[in-house]
Amino acid sequence: KLCEQRKMSAQSAAAETTSEVLDFTQKEQGWYVPARIKDLVLYKDPVFSGVAFGVFNLYFYLVAFGGYTFISLSLFLATVHLVVSVLFVTITGFIKQFQHGPQPPPTPNPVHLNPETVKKVSDNIVSHINCGLKTYSKVQSCQHAPASLLAILVLYLTAKFFSVFSGLTLLYIAGLVAFTVPMAYSKNTAVADKHLATAKAKLKEVTDQVMAKIPKSVMDKMKKTE
């Protein structure tokens, strides 16, 4: 009975495709993105999104070439924002008092994080991390040889890529992608999906060609699980 269970497990693992094994995301759940972030990257308000993109580029330029750090620049920006806010409230209050007499001070509108949104984002991130760890366990146990070899190749190429660029450059590239790719994809969904399908088919073809060159004895040894 134990042998039959192992045989069924091996057949089940062999039936899985490389893309199914190398699934580091929760497809049924998807990535949770707050509505404000979606509106920002999809330019629902072009003026606000444009200003945010400009501030992002200015921030990067000042940190990369202006001699600032993230912390010092953030504190300077907070100082400027506070000074402008105080001056604005003082001047508008003086004008209202001059026109209509004494007025009560304005009630501040506190900025806060929505606990429900924070919980959804954190739960979503944790679920995807767990899914990625589960996938890594499959790859590590070599239940699917093509997926294991492909994962090794991808990890090596990713390590080489990250060794070329600094953390600040990668952060800027991530922000640039966030402000450009979603908008471009939303306007060219059909064309993008077509090219993605072609790339996926080409990747599968290359993977099959590589696996065909590996001796059968090596493949049988890799597929053997204890």
Side-chain angles (χ1 to χ4, degrees), residues 16-141:
E16 290 183 309
T17 63
T18 303
S19 60
E20 289 174 339
V21 176
L22 296 180
D23 177 21
F24 286 89
T25 60
Q26 291 278 39
K27 291 182 179 179
E28 68 277 3
Q29 183 175 357
W31 288 99
Y32 175 76
V33 181
R36 289 187 177 181
I37 302 299
K38 287 183 180 179
D39 294 342
L40 178 66
V41 298
L42 292 177
Y43 290 81
K44 296 295 184 180
D45 185 349
V47 175
F48 180 74
S49 297
V51 171
F53 186 54
V55 171
F56 168 75
N57 283 277
L58 178 63
Y59 206 94
F60 171 77
Y61 176 82
L62 292 175
V63 172
F65 307 106
Y68 294 93
T69 64
F70 281 108
I71 296 177
S72 65
L73 185 57
S74 299
L75 292 175
F76 277 125
L77 290 176
T79 303
V80 172
H81 179 265
L82 185 59
V83 170
V84 172
S85 300
V86 170
L87 289 176
F88 177 78
V89 172
T90 302
I91 293 174
T92 54
F94 177 78
I95 294 175
K96 289 181 179 179
Q97 184 177 359
F98 179 77
Q99 292 178 345
H100 308 287
Q103 299 288 329
T107 303
N109 185 19
V111 179
H112 67 283
L113 293 174
N114 189 335
E116 294 183 0
T117 302
V118 174
K119 186 177 185 304
K120 287 181 180 179
V121 173
S122 60
D123 291 346
N124 188 258
I125 293 175
V126 169
S127 66
H128 282 85
I129 291 176
N130 289 334
C131 184
L133 293 175
K134 180 181 178 181
T135 300
Y136 186 81
S137 298
K138 287 183 180 180
V139 173
Q140 185 182 22
S141 62

Side-chain angles (χ1 to χ4, degrees), residues 151-196:
I152 294 172
L153 177 62
V154 169
L155 288 175
Y156 174 77
L157 294 177
T158 304
K160 295 292 290 184
F161 176 80
F162 277 94
S163 66
V164 174
F165 299 97
S166 65
L168 182 61
T169 302
L170 292 173
L171 184 62
Y172 178 74
I173 292 175
L176 195 62
V177 169
F179 273 102
T180 55
V181 173
M183 184 64 178
Y185 179 78
S186 65
K187 289 188 175 182
N188 304 277
T189 304
V191 178
D193 289 342
K194 181 179 178 181
H195 287 295
L196 287 175

